[in-house]
Amino acid sequence: MPYVNIQVTRENVSAPQKAELIAGVTELLQRVLGKDPALTHVVIDEIDPDNWGVGGLPALQYRQRGAR
Amino acid sequence: MPYVNIQVTRENVSAPQKAELIAGVTELLQRVLGKDPALTHVVIDEIDPDNWGVGGLPALQYRQRGAR
Amino acid sequence: MPYVNIQVTRENVSAPQKAELIAGVTELLQRVLGKDPALTHVVIDEIDPDNWGVGGLPALQYRQRGAR
Amino acid sequence: MPYVNIQVTRENVSAPQKAELIAGVTELLQRVLGKDPALTHVVIDEIDPDNWGVGGLPALQYRQRGAR
Amino acid sequence: MPYVNIQVTRENVSAPQKAELIAGVTELLQRVLGKDPALTHVVIDEIDPDNWGVGGLPALQYRQRGAR
Amino acid sequence: MPYVNIQVTRENVSAPQKAELIAGVTELLQRVLGKDPALTHVVIDEIDPDNWGVGGLPALQYRQRGAR
């Protein structure tokens, strides 16, 4: 019964990329733990960069200091 | 002090339906566990169907294969 | 495809009470939004009272001031 | 490695206010637990008031009864 | 800056299996979205089977009816 | 109505430290956004280090490579 929540910044993630994440995570849980894909739910949350902080700074400012 | 997070696909959930979910969950927690409604918070997240996967597929594709 | 996360303080919630919460939330989502129970997952998190704060205080101290 | 999720109602929270929340939470975790800011992620979720319930009511109705 | 939360039932998931999930999800996000592994956090929550419901039933009862 | 979830590795976080986190976050939300402490809930999740990954590795292995 896995449930997986993937949070990424909202930056033009395409529908095919989302489908690839869903397929990849589901396959991983089936391979490593034998989980039934029909019971595996994946939810992708796209977060506005203003709303994500790391290093004490909003994401875009943090990246300008050298991280990606 | 319950906190309840309800995640559903974003498909025209109306304000009255949301109010009914909020009332229903709050009543359930009061009845089963004696929780004070004033301390019970309910947050509904509506998820774009592209962002929800089950069975290794995005929700709409999964449904086309026979589930709802 | 609903996913519901219920967070309550860890205070002797029994297995039958958990089953009642699971049944009640699932029935609510079926009744209000027509959701298929086979696609409705409910996860109950029991939180140590030291780890839950409200009003700026840990739960037990907050309750001693008059709330439940 | 802290991860902090802040959920508030979506009511004109400005970018500087978000930056202040990110900075404040990160500083708090560094001060209290010695956590490295570079490993501290903060995600702010803004929730539509229709989607937030307390006291068994949607947030705006609850406030009209006297709370903020 | 991805954050991934994986929820599975608590059923003897070993440390090497957890490491494989962490590595697999991190690699997937790097491959599909180009995310920096150093900014990718993965948190695995193991949920007591009594606390997980699907189909309106606790997980173990649900499985006895034919699902895994 | 804020709800804040703080996730840290489970490494001897004391009750006074938890109380300090709860007080600090609640004060921050009151100061920055004018939120009522009585409606501010904080939940601290302590995560086993085996269950937290960063950089594609479990937390303890990642730290041995130079991060904290």
Side-chain angles (χ1 to χ4, degrees):
Chain A
M1 285 101 177
Y3 166 82
V4 181
N5 179 233
I6 299 175
Q7 301 185 0
V8 294
T9 42
R10 188 189 305 279
E11 294 169 291
N12 301 311
V13 183
S14 69
Q17 286 173 321
K18 292 173 187 176
E20 196 171 347
L21 291 176
I22 289 166
V25 165
T26 305
E27 188 276 334
L28 180 70
L29 283 159
Q30 185 175 31
R31 179 163 51 80
V32 177
L33 297 180
K35 297 295 183 184
D36 182 351
L39 293 174
T40 300
H41 289 251
V42 181
V43 170
I44 301 168
D45 284 330
E46 296 171 88
I47 308 294
D48 189 277
D50 279 348
N51 290 24
W52 195 304
V54 58
L57 294 170
L60 297 182
Q61 292 180 42
Y62 183 77
R63 286 179 185 158
Q64 289 169 350
R65 300 204 173 182
R68 178 158 45 97
Chain B
M1 285 98 177
Y3 166 82
V4 180
N5 179 233
I6 299 175
Q7 300 185 0
V8 293
T9 42
R10 188 190 305 279
E11 294 169 291
N12 302 311
V13 184
S14 69
Q17 287 174 320
K18 293 173 186 176
E20 197 172 346
L21 292 177
I22 289 166
V25 165
T26 305
E27 188 275 334
L28 180 70
L29 284 159
Q30 185 175 31
R31 179 163 53 79
V32 177
L33 297 181
K35 297 295 181 183
D36 182 350
L39 293 174
T40 300
H41 290 251
V42 181
V43 170
I44 300 168
D45 284 330
E46 297 172 86
I47 308 294
D48 189 278
D50 278 350
N51 289 23
W52 194 305
V54 58
L57 294 169
L60 298 182
Q61 293 180 41
Y62 183 77
R63 286 178 185 159
Q64 289 171 350
R65 299 204 174 182
R68 179 158 43 96
Chain C
M1 284 98 177
Y3 166 83
V4 180
N5 179 234
I6 299 175
Q7 300 184 1
V8 293
T9 42
R10 187 190 305 279
E11 295 169 290
N12 301 312
V13 184
S14 69
Q17 287 174 321
K18 293 174 186 176
E20 198 172 346
L21 291 176
I22 289 166
V25 166
T26 305
E27 187 278 332
L28 181 69
L29 283 159
Q30 185 175 32
R31 179 164 51 80
V32 177
L33 297 180
K35 296 296 182 184
D36 182 351
L39 292 174
T40 300
H41 290 250
V42 180
V43 171
I44 301 168
D45 284 329
E46 297 171 88
I47 309 294
D48 190 278
D50 279 349
N51 289 24
W52 195 304
V54 58
L57 294 170
L60 298 182
Q61 293 180 41
Y62 183 77
R63 285 179 186 159
Q64 288 171 351
R65 299 200 174 183
R68 177 157 47 94
Chain D
M1 284 99 180
Y3 165 83
V4 180
N5 180 234
I6 299 175
Q7 300 185 1
V8 294
T9 42
R10 187 190 305 279
E11 294 169 291
N12 302 312
V13 184
S14 69
Q17 286 173 322
K18 292 173 186 176
E20 197 172 346
L21 291 175
I22 290 166
V25 166
T26 304
E27 188 277 333
L28 181 70
L29 283 159
Q30 185 175 32
R31 180 164 50 80
V32 177
L33 297 180
K35 296 295 181 183
D36 182 351
L39 293 174
T40 299
H41 290 250
V42 181
V43 170
I44 300 168
D45 283 330
E46 296 172 87
I47 309 294
D48 189 278
D50 279 349
N51 290 23
W52 195 304
V54 59
L57 294 169
L60 298 183
Q61 293 180 41
Y62 183 77
R63 286 178 185 160
Q64 289 170 351
R65 300 203 174 181
R68 178 155 48 92
Chain E
M1 285 99 176
Y3 166 82
V4 180
N5 180 232
I6 299 174
Q7 301 184 1
V8 293
T9 42
R10 187 190 306 280
E11 295 170 290
N12 301 312
V13 184
S14 68
Q17 286 174 322
K18 293 173 186 177
E20 197 171 346
L21 292 176
I22 290 166
V25 166
T26 305
E27 188 277 333
L28 181 70
L29 284 159
Q30 185 175 32
R31 179 162 52 80
V32 177
L33 297 180
K35 296 296 182 183
D36 183 350
L39 293 174
T40 300
H41 290 250
V42 181
V43 171
I44 300 167
D45 284 330
E46 297 172 87
I47 308 294
D48 189 278
D50 279 348
N51 289 24
W52 195 303
V54 59
L57 294 170
L60 298 183
Q61 292 179 42
Y62 184 77
R63 286 180 186 158
Q64 289 170 352
R65 299 200 175 184
R68 178 156 45 95
Chain F
M1 286 95 176
Y3 166 82
V4 180
N5 180 234
I6 299 175
Q7 300 185 1
V8 294
T9 43
R10 188 190 305 280
E11 294 169 290
N12 302 311
V13 184
S14 69
Q17 286 174 321
K18 292 173 185 175
E20 197 171 346
L21 292 176
I22 289 166
V25 165
T26 305
E27 188 276 333
L28 180 70
L29 283 158
Q30 186 174 32
R31 179 163 52 79
V32 177
L33 297 179
K35 297 295 182 184
D36 182 351
L39 293 174
T40 300
H41 290 250
V42 181
V43 170
I44 301 168
D45 285 330
E46 297 172 87
I47 308 294
D48 190 278
D50 278 349
N51 289 23
W52 196 305
V54 58
L57 294 170
L60 298 183
Q61 293 179 40
Y62 184 76
R63 286 177 185 160
Q64 288 170 350
R65 299 201 174 184
R68 177 157 44 95

